[in-house]
Amino acid sequence: MLWQNNFLVFSVIISVLIALLIFRLWDALVSRLNVNSFLGETEDDRKWLERMSIAVDWFSFNQNEMNKKLISAGIYSTWVARRYYLIKIIPFTMSLIVIVISFLKGYASLQLMIVSISVVAITFLIAPDIYVDALGKKRIRRISGRLPFLLDLMTMCVHTGMTIEATLEHLAKELVTVDRDLAYVVMKTVERARVIGIEKAIKEFYETVPTSEAQSFVMTLSQSLQYGSSVGPVLANLSAEIREINMMELEEKIGKLGAKMSIPLIIFIMVPIVVLIAAPGIMRMLG
């Protein structure tokens, strides 16, 4: 009876444990492939390793796009990016096997099997993508909201005589203790500036944080670098403008709050009042 009542929980736990074991074996396989690619392999192992290489490549597809999504969500681990699809597919497959075997053994009914498969599919296949997308949007909004703080710090650094490149490099180190995500974006901009130049690196900042505030920030710095104008006062004015825009958006949300509150007010207060008023008359008519 306990197994039947907790069927889905047991199947998920068993599947996750098996998935963890498969992950360890998979890491050992990938390490062996990498080592053998440098040291060479025997003729007997070559064909086997080629088949395993195909399997590794098949489960490691779309890494660049997945890595960008995870970085936008604040997940900077390359381990997760390389194994994201394995993290989804292996627990789902193991859970599916456990559920089907349990149904064949008579531990679960057909209805319970269908419900369990649906829950497992949503949990392991759909929910991770939804969570990563939601986390990415939330992180982008938060970084965009912190831009005035970054602009104020840049203004102070520029007024001390530092260049924009030196300012960004200095702030990338100092912001780690304040805002890890903002520091990561600034550090990536600094690293890209060393490779492709500061102007192109600043334009890529907008690709990482695609908001109107970031676009204004990028256009301001690009124009200052292109025409050689003084960037200090421009950054200060831009910081004030972004704060004003954020305040206007907040006031707009507050203005919409009254209309949103009217919906639960009508459902939970007005409808019961109408029922209480009309019910006695209806009951007398029926009586």
Side-chain angles (χ1 to χ4, degrees):
M1 182 64 66
L2 180 62
W3 170 262
Q4 292 178 351
N5 293 335
N6 300 279
F7 166 73
L8 182 59
V9 176
F10 286 149
S11 63
V12 171
I13 291 175
I14 293 173
S15 302
V16 170
L17 292 176
I18 296 174
L20 291 175
L21 177 61
I22 293 176
F23 284 141
R24 294 183 65 88
L25 295 175
W26 188 271
D27 288 337
L29 173 62
V30 174
S31 299
R32 182 178 177 182
L33 291 175
N34 293 332
V35 170
N36 286 327
S37 64
F38 289 102
L39 300 181
E41 64 276 353
T42 63
E43 187 65 24
D44 296 335
D45 293 338
R46 186 176 61 82
K47 294 182 179 180
W48 183 82
L49 291 174
E50 286 179 355
R51 297 190 186 99
M52 292 298 101
S53 298
I54 294 173
V56 170
D57 294 336
W58 192 81
F59 282 105
S60 301
F61 63 94
N62 209 15
Q63 284 189 22
N64 293 331
E65 183 178 352
M66 198 66 246
N67 193 32
K68 290 180 181 179
K69 285 186 177 181
L70 293 174
I71 289 176
S72 66
I75 303 173
Y76 307 120
S77 174
T78 56
W79 186 92
V80 178
R82 289 196 300 266
R83 296 160 181 83
Y84 179 78
Y85 292 102
L86 286 176
I87 293 173
K88 295 172 58 177
I89 293 173
I90 291 179
F92 172 73
T93 305
M94 294 298 104
S95 299
L96 186 62
I97 293 173
V98 172
I99 291 171
V100 172
I101 292 176
S102 301
F103 171 72
L104 296 176
K105 292 292 185 179
Y107 295 117
S109 62
L110 178 61
Q111 293 80 1
L112 181 59
M113 183 187 71
I114 295 174
V115 172
S116 301
I117 292 175
S118 302
V119 172
V120 168
I122 293 173
T123 302
F124 291 117
L125 298 182
I126 300 176
D129 292 334
I130 295 175
Y131 175 74
V132 170
D133 291 339
L135 199 63
K137 293 178 181 178
K138 180 180 178 181
R139 175 179 173 271
I140 289 174
R141 288 195 301 268
R142 188 165 61 82
I143 293 177
S144 181
R146 300 285 284 180
L147 278 181
F149 173 68
L150 175 64
L151 291 172
D152 291 340
L153 294 178
M154 290 183 64
T155 302
M156 289 187 291
C157 293
V158 169
H159 283 165
T160 60
M162 298 175 65
T163 61
I164 294 179
E165 295 88 341
T167 297
L168 293 175
E169 186 172 358
H170 174 71
L171 292 179
K173 299 176 182 178
E174 297 296 329
L175 287 173
V176 174
T177 57
V178 180
D179 193 325
R180 184 175 67 98
D181 294 329
L182 182 60
Y184 180 85
V185 174
V186 176
M187 179 57 71
K188 282 298 179 182
T189 304
V190 173
E191 292 176 355
R192 292 292 293 168
R194 295 170 182 168
V195 179
I196 61 176
I198 185 63
E199 293 186 10
K200 293 182 179 179
I202 289 175
K203 291 180 180 178
E204 290 184 358
F205 182 90
Y206 175 69
E207 297 178 0
T208 307
V209 188
T211 60
S212 58
E213 292 84 358
Q215 186 178 17
S216 300
F217 169 69
V218 170
M219 291 178 62
T220 300
L221 287 183
S222 298
Q223 291 177 358
S224 298
L225 290 171
Q226 184 176 0
Y227 298 108
S229 59
S230 179
V231 72
V234 176
L235 292 176
N237 293 333
L238 181 60
S239 175
E241 291 177 0
I242 293 177
R243 282 195 173 92
E244 186 177 354
I245 292 174
N246 292 337
M247 185 62 64
M248 293 175 60
E249 292 178 353
L250 182 59
E251 292 176 354
E252 184 180 357
K253 291 180 180 179
I254 294 174
K256 294 180 179 179
L257 189 61
K260 294 180 179 179
M261 287 297 294
S262 63
I263 297 176
L265 179 66
I266 293 173
I267 295 175
F268 297 107
I269 297 179
M270 296 299 296
V271 173
I273 290 176
V274 172
V275 172
L276 289 175
I277 293 174
I282 295 175
M283 293 177 66
R284 283 195 297 267
M285 291 175 60
L286 295 176

